[in-house]
Amino acid sequence: MKSQKTKKTIKTIKIDVDKCNGCRACEMICSAFHAEPKYSSNNPARSRIRIIREPLRDLYIPVYAGEYAVAECAGRDKYTIDGKEYDECSFCRASCPSRDEFKEPDSGLPLKCDMCEGEQEPLCVKWCMHDALLLEEREEEVDEPEPEDEQEELEIGLEALADKYGLEKVKDAMARISKKD
Amino acid sequence: MRYAETGFNLEVDLTRGNIEKVATDPKDTELYLGGLGTNAKILWDRVPPEVEAFSPENLLIFAAGLLCGTPAIGCNRTIVTTISPQTKLMAFSMMGGFLAPELKYAGYDKVILRGKSPSLVYLWINNDKVEIRDAAHLKGKGAIETAEIIRKELKQPKAQVAAIGMAGENRVFYASIEQGRSSASRGGIGAVMGDKGVKAIVVRGTQDINVAQPEAFMELTNEVMDYIQFRNDNPIPGVMPILAGLGSPQEMKVHDEKWHTENFNWGNSRTRRKGFWTDEIALEWMETLDNARTRLISCYNCPMTCGATISMPGLPTYMMKCFTKLTYTMAAYSDLDFGLRIAQRATEYGLDGFSAPQVMAFALELLENGILTDDDFPEMPADTEGRFYYLLDKIVRREGIGDILANGTYWAAKEIGNGAEDYAHNNIKKHEQLPLKLSMLNPIYYLMYCTGEKINITQIEGQFPQAPYPKKEHREAFVKDWHQVPDDKFKQYFVDWNPRGENSMPFYPTVDMCCDIVDWQEMMHYIDDALGQCAGLSSFPLKPPYHIHNYPKFISAGAGIEMDEDSLSKAAKRYRTLVRAINIRRGMRRKDETPPENHWKKRFPELEKELLDTYYKFKGWNHDGIPTKASLHELGLDYVGEDFVKRGILTVNEDVPSEEATA
């Protein structure tokens, strides 16, 4: 391999479900941080983290919004851990057509956790006073992305847009953007 | 644009099945804040004193406090207001949990129920879509069970549910409204909900709540968070464990129950059991609690873990907080295992954990003393624990003697007669109190017991230490970082307070000091109840994160209402006086403002008279406890004064002038 190595910071949120008290402060502050202007409003339904909270079954799972999925999956999983049964989709981070999770309530646009870029730590971590959510950072050496990778990424992005809005609309939009320039 | 609040109430006429979304007047928010304050205004305007608890004209109001749904930590209280069937006065019981913020996110500050539904229904509020739905299939179901069934049938796992159990359906005078880990229990508001034919209120909301000055608001919130951390790391030394930290009394966490089991009274608030708390019992109770408790849990947006999930072997899981842990145990002279088991059933039935066990112990006392006979209790088991289950079931079904007991000790004693009144000995304003009997009169508590209109000591006390430290140096150390006091004079009051000898109770704190202290304690509770803030982070514990100095800033930055300490104090005084006015209009007078006769062994009639006289004057009330026209005018409550004159409660020219009128 001739590719260049570079250092990259990997941020991980360590989730300890045993410490979660189910207060949903993380949902609240996430939505407040991402409001425009910042903190001007809050609405847990817009949050990029959600707490699956079922006290009578002692289920408390913080789940972060991950990738947008165009289609729902064909097969789903049901987990039993320590005698507790978790519903299908419990651990899934996707914003997908099969459910309302991780979508803007008015527009339906997908949401994704961005680790509160620019802050010392993600706000959900700061607000979790029970340390159910902890930030871990580590450096990793990764390959410098090759030019062809970038091209591929661009195409995947465009295809996703085309899937969602139709190719014609994307073309029209591209044409308009080009004109502005 | 409205900030912190939504600016809309949901008006539901259950008789006609009509639902309206009504815009509210922002002026009312400025005058009465929200929550309890605006509830009181609505009750004053719309429920005249002739209306009884179980009349269709009575309102049942569910209000989210003014700052509920904002990032303010621990601000999640639902304030439920109605006329109580038991006290016949205004009831304003409240609960934490998750309902109030959800209601805000759904777009409403309050749900106001009027009329009566012809059949059992539940209310389903899903943002702008609101439906009255049939609840025939939920009749007789437990309150927790009901919430689970509804979430399933609506396919809405995130919906928040407040429901009544069988006690509310059958209009037991001390029925509660249950909401998962929280309940609004006092004053029999669950009975009013049952009378209206409403099994549950179900809410789901996905809309924004705005704050007026985001940056300022977040700065305040961060300060509160830091202070909570500081207080968690620095418990108050030299006080019993439940007073050392923040939160509601940490009954679910604490194992050491020496103080409660030996100082509170067992049975029908009768017997103190000194020496009860042995190593053996400590070990046994610790095992019981550890085995039952799955997890310590919180209300919405709060780091305190005041509640717990409780799973007793063989019984469905339920949630608990605070003193219900002990009230059944102590009333039945039993152990914690029994207490946690019967509380499971009582929670599903939806009963107040203060009143219910006392009513049952009262019934057994009447039997022991021959006022009731075996014939009144057909097929009752012989053992006390079995008897408690028997009575619990009779009461919530209103079967046999249960029908009389369901009205609480005051009304039951009246109906039973034959000397039964002497056994209904632990009431204020017809409502059962903490099972506590003490020796030396405490002048601060005397005033709180007399004049508290939530009629529950825990809902008026707080902030000021319950007793002085033995040594002056400790008292001096305590006041050093006591920035919560409204005025530095409170520090001196405390430093000079001795456990015995000079400057000790009952003559110290002096009458004037007592007025200051009680007024401060009460004011903070009233502010909490308007904002929806839990007392556990504010008015109840020593050195809380919320206080009179940061509250005005929270209101300004949150709701966009200009506020300083004076204007906030005045607003709190305004709706506090309005609560009193509602009760005065319903007949409450000085004669009703008295603690249970045997609450203290050592009483001081002259001092007590002076305390009440002075406090009434201090509050702007006349000799009979009625707000004077001058004080009403000062608060902008002339409409109350006019109504009082019209009803002959006050005279045209002058207020009933103090001493001569009643003395």
Side-chain angles (χ1 to χ4, degrees):
Chain A
M1 292 292 279
K2 54 186 174 7
S3 67
Q4 291 279 97
K5 294 273 183 194
T6 55
K7 286 213 167 147
K8 189 180 167 190
T9 309
I10 306 283
K11 289 182 178 177
T12 305
I13 294 176
K14 269 180 66 180
I15 302 166
D16 186 341
V17 297
D18 290 336
K19 287 182 179 164
C20 179
N21 62 343
C23 76
R24 298 172 54 203
C26 50
E27 294 182 2
M28 186 286 298
I29 197 62
C30 173
S31 67
F33 177 77
H34 291 97
E36 258 324 308
K38 211 179 259 188
Y39 301 118
S40 61
S41 69
N42 86 90
N43 175 2
R46 290 186 202 284
S47 170
R48 293 136 197 243
I49 177 171
R50 71 170 181 129
I51 303 297
I52 297 171
R53 177 186 173 277
E54 281 191 52
L56 296 181
R57 293 162 61 203
D58 197 46
L59 302 186
Y60 295 83
I61 326 166
V63 185
Y64 285 90
E67 294 301 322
Y68 165 69
V70 201
E72 60 183 291
C73 45
R76 296 179 192 172
D77 313 312
K78 249 189 181 181
Y79 285 86
T80 302
I81 306 171
D82 283 341
K84 291 185 224 167
E85 195 179 276
Y86 294 84
D87 288 345
E88 47 194 48
C89 306
S90 280
F91 299 101
C92 178
R93 300 179 57 181
S95 165
C96 98
S98 70
R99 52 184 201 168
D100 290 334
E101 303 303 336
F102 304 138
K103 287 175 191 163
E104 284 283 359
D106 344 292
S107 62
L109 287 173
L111 295 164
K112 188 181 161 185
C113 170
D114 60 1
M115 299 288 232
C116 296
E117 240 167 86
E119 293 292 307
Q120 232 175 10
E121 57 184 347
L123 270 289
C124 55
V125 171
K126 180 180 173 189
W127 276 63
C128 185
M129 293 179 75
H130 289 271
D131 294 342
L133 308 175
L134 282 176
L135 180 69
E136 246 185 22
E137 287 187 53
R138 63 175 192 277
E139 299 243 298
E140 265 183 18
E141 284 204 336
V142 291
D143 295 337
E144 186 93 52
E146 299 285 328
E148 54 265 35
D149 290 346
E150 280 180 8
Q151 183 61 30
E152 199 185 325
E153 225 170 80
L154 172 69
E155 277 170 29
I156 289 172
L158 280 173
E159 268 170 32
L161 285 172
D163 281 345
K164 186 165 171 70
Y165 299 103
L167 189 58
E168 282 312 306
K169 278 192 180 167
V170 175
K171 274 188 188 163
D172 288 350
M174 289 304 296
R176 267 199 303 279
I177 292 168
S178 319
K179 251 187 208 165
K180 270 185 215 160
D181 292 344
Chain B
M1 177 141 163
R2 304 282 276 267
Y3 296 102
E5 57 180 351
T6 67
F8 291 97
N9 290 342
L10 196 61
E11 294 270 1
V12 182
D13 182 339
L14 295 157
T15 310
R16 295 166 47 224
N18 188 49
I19 300 166
E20 268 177 276
K21 183 177 179 176
V22 179
T24 56
D25 185 350
K27 191 82 196 138
D28 279 344
T29 312
E30 277 174 43
L31 290 172
Y32 308 97
L33 304 183
L36 171 64
T38 36
N39 280 8
K41 178 70 167 70
I42 292 168
L43 214 62
W44 172 271
D45 287 345
R46 291 169 52 181
V47 184
E50 303 77 34
V51 171
E52 295 192 343
F54 295 148
S55 154
E57 321 297 317
N58 188 13
L59 300 180
L60 181 64
I61 310 172
F62 291 79
L66 179 61
L67 296 182
C68 289
T70 71
I73 296 172
C75 200
N76 50 41
R77 305 279 281 173
T78 307
I79 299 94
V80 190
T81 303
T82 190
I83 300 301
S84 160
Q86 192 179 33
T87 67
K88 297 183 178 292
L89 303 172
M90 174 175 171
F92 50 110
S93 198
M94 38 197 87
M95 54 189 163
F98 294 78
L99 189 83
E102 198 74 34
L103 188 63
K104 286 283 193 77
Y105 297 130
Y108 312 98
D109 300 317
K110 294 181 202 294
V111 179
I112 304 171
L113 304 179
R114 67 177 189 275
K116 273 189 204 197
S117 166
S119 62
L120 195 65
V121 294
Y122 71 86
L123 189 67
W124 167 219
I125 304 166
N126 186 6
N127 292 315
D128 284 335
K129 250 175 67 189
V130 184
E131 296 170 43
I132 298 173
R133 293 174 67 103
D134 177 50
H137 60 301
L138 299 169
K139 190 171 163 46
K141 293 269 190 267
I144 309 301
E145 203 185 352
T146 296
E148 289 297 292
I149 296 172
I150 291 178
R151 279 196 200 100
K152 248 185 216 132
E153 74 184 29
L154 295 174
K155 296 198 179 72
Q156 290 280 348
K158 292 179 187 170
Q160 301 300 335
V161 183
I164 54 169
M166 210 189 287
E169 284 179 38
N170 291 329
R171 307 194 305 181
V172 174
F173 282 12
Y174 38 94
S176 62
I177 299 171
E178 299 284 331
Q179 187 222 136
R181 68 160 302 294
S182 309
S183 61
S185 297
R186 302 289 281 164
I189 53 172
V192 176
M193 189 155 157
D195 181 65
K196 298 210 167 297
V198 177
K199 180 71 179 173
I201 290 188
V202 187
V203 188
R204 174 67 182 143
T206 59
Q207 297 169 58
D208 299 350
I209 287 296
N210 303 295
V211 294
Q213 299 154 31
E215 267 175 51
F217 197 84
M218 287 317 294
E219 205 178 305
L220 290 161
T221 308
N222 284 327
E223 281 168 20
V224 162
M225 191 190 284
D226 291 345
Y227 193 72
I228 292 172
Q229 193 60 59
F230 168 80
R231 283 285 280 104
N232 286 349
D233 298 340
N234 296 278
I236 309 274
V239 293
M240 63 171 139
I242 61 159
L243 292 177
L246 297 174
S248 295
Q250 300 289 295
E251 281 299 299
M252 296 299 106
K253 212 173 281 174
V254 166
H255 284 111
D256 181 358
E257 292 293 359
K258 181 178 169 66
W259 196 86
H260 288 118
T261 54
E262 296 194 353
N263 286 286
F264 279 44
N265 292 55
W266 294 64
N268 178 26
S269 189
R270 289 292 181 194
T271 315
R272 257 178 87 172
R273 297 170 86 183
K274 285 187 184 166
F276 169 81
W277 191 254
T278 58
D279 289 350
E280 204 180 315
I281 285 182
L283 190 69
E284 189 189 308
W285 286 32
M286 183 167 80
E287 274 173 18
T288 303
L289 188 61
D290 284 348
N291 289 333
R293 193 181 54 194
T294 330
R295 188 183 291 252
L296 292 169
I297 54 174
S298 303
C299 295
Y300 181 75
N301 187 20
C302 182
M304 307 316 296
T305 43
C306 311
T309 335
I310 302 286
S311 298
M312 294 301 280
L315 293 180
T317 300
Y318 71 109
M319 288 164 265
M320 177 184 255
K321 72 272 152 197
C322 224
F323 281 114
T324 309
K325 175 183 171 190
L326 298 179
T327 51
Y328 289 96
T329 297
M330 291 180 67
Y333 291 94
S334 184
D335 57 17
L336 188 60
D337 183 79
F338 164 76
L340 295 182
R341 283 178 179 281
I342 195 168
Q344 186 275 326
R345 199 185 289 186
T347 303
E348 289 285 12
Y349 285 154
L351 280 170
D352 174 23
F354 272 12
S355 288
Q358 279 185 63
V359 175
M360 294 189 263
F362 157 84
L364 295 180
E365 250 187 11
L366 294 185
L367 176 63
E368 255 168 58
N369 290 282
I371 294 171
L372 290 174
T373 66
D374 287 335
D375 295 341
D376 295 309
F377 304 90
E379 292 168 55
M380 182 164 75
D383 64 304
T384 313
E385 297 177 353
R387 290 177 160 192
F388 264 68
Y389 280 110
Y390 170 94
L391 287 168
L392 183 66
D393 285 350
K394 292 282 174 207
I395 287 168
V396 298
R397 291 179 173 78
R398 280 191 175 271
E399 275 171 12
I401 192 72
D403 191 31
I404 296 169
L405 296 173
N407 296 343
T409 56
Y410 175 86
W411 296 107
K414 263 194 161 351
E415 198 172 335
I416 295 164
N418 197 16
E421 279 96 338
D422 292 344
Y423 297 85
H425 69 114
N426 198 36
N427 296 330
I428 299 177
K429 294 166 189 163
K430 310 180 179 66
H431 203 38
E432 292 80 11
Q433 301 298 309
L434 265 185
L436 192 58
K437 302 290 165 196
L438 301 163
S439 176
M440 173 59 78
L441 176 89
N442 177 326
I444 302 171
Y445 275 74
Y446 174 79
L447 282 181
M448 290 194 290
Y449 271 119
C450 288
T451 62
E453 273 164 90
K454 226 187 291 177
I455 322 180
N456 201 38
I457 196 65
T458 59
Q459 302 292 330
I460 179 171
E461 67 180 344
Q463 310 242 15
F464 200 83
Q466 295 190 3
Y469 291 123
K471 285 194 183 146
K472 191 169 184 179
E473 65 207 68
H474 292 149
R475 300 198 291 271
E476 280 167 346
F478 178 86
V479 304
K480 247 182 209 147
D481 62 351
W482 199 12
H483 61 260
Q484 288 85 353
V485 290
D487 188 296
D488 273 351
K489 69 185 174 190
F490 289 95
K491 296 184 182 176
Q492 201 57 47
Y493 293 173
F494 184 63
V495 169
D496 294 341
W497 189 14
N498 291 318
R500 51 191 68 79
E502 206 187 326
N503 278 2
S504 71
M505 291 194 289
F507 295 103
Y508 190 96
T510 65
V511 172
D512 289 333
M513 291 175 191
C514 287
C515 291
D516 283 338
I517 294 166
V518 173
D519 185 61
W520 169 37
Q521 293 179 302
E522 179 178 82
M523 176 177 74
M524 296 319 297
H525 276 282
Y526 271 80
I527 296 174
D528 288 347
D529 299 348
L531 304 184
Q533 177 60 49
C534 175
L537 286 180
S538 180
S539 45
F540 184 78
L542 300 164
K543 299 185 181 172
Y546 292 99
H547 42 77
I548 191 63
H549 309 302
N550 63 2
Y551 259 155
K553 298 178 195 163
F554 265 100
I555 296 169
S556 300
I561 299 169
E562 233 172 274
M563 196 64 77
D564 58 24
E565 290 180 26
D566 286 341
S567 52
L568 177 56
S569 305
K570 193 169 175 183
K573 191 172 179 185
R574 182 177 299 120
Y575 58 81
R576 192 272 169 267
T577 306
L578 197 53
V579 169
R580 169 145 292 237
I582 289 167
N583 288 333
I584 289 290
R585 203 163 68 161
R586 303 189 79 85
M588 188 188 79
R589 293 293 184 275
R590 183 179 183 130
K591 63 175 168 29
D592 303 300
E593 304 224 286
T594 170
E597 207 174 307
N598 57 6
H599 186 77
W600 291 285
K601 220 179 265 161
K602 292 179 196 153
R603 297 287 294 264
F604 298 80
E606 271 175 41
L607 172 64
E608 290 171 21
K609 182 178 179 307
E610 193 193 342
L611 278 163
L612 208 52
D613 284 346
T614 315
Y615 189 63
Y616 277 180
K617 219 172 272 173
F618 178 96
K619 294 290 253 190
W621 306 340
N622 73 15
H623 184 70
D624 217 11
I626 304 168
T628 63
K629 280 204 321 235
S631 68
L632 290 167
H633 176 73
E634 199 191 309
L635 295 167
L637 297 176
D638 284 327
Y639 61 89
V640 172
E642 284 158 26
D643 188 85
F644 279 177
V645 170
K646 219 169 24 188
R647 292 175 187 275
I649 295 167
L650 293 175
T651 56
V652 182
N653 298 325
E654 209 13 85
D655 306 307
V656 184
S658 61
E659 266 73 12
E660 324 61 277
T662 5

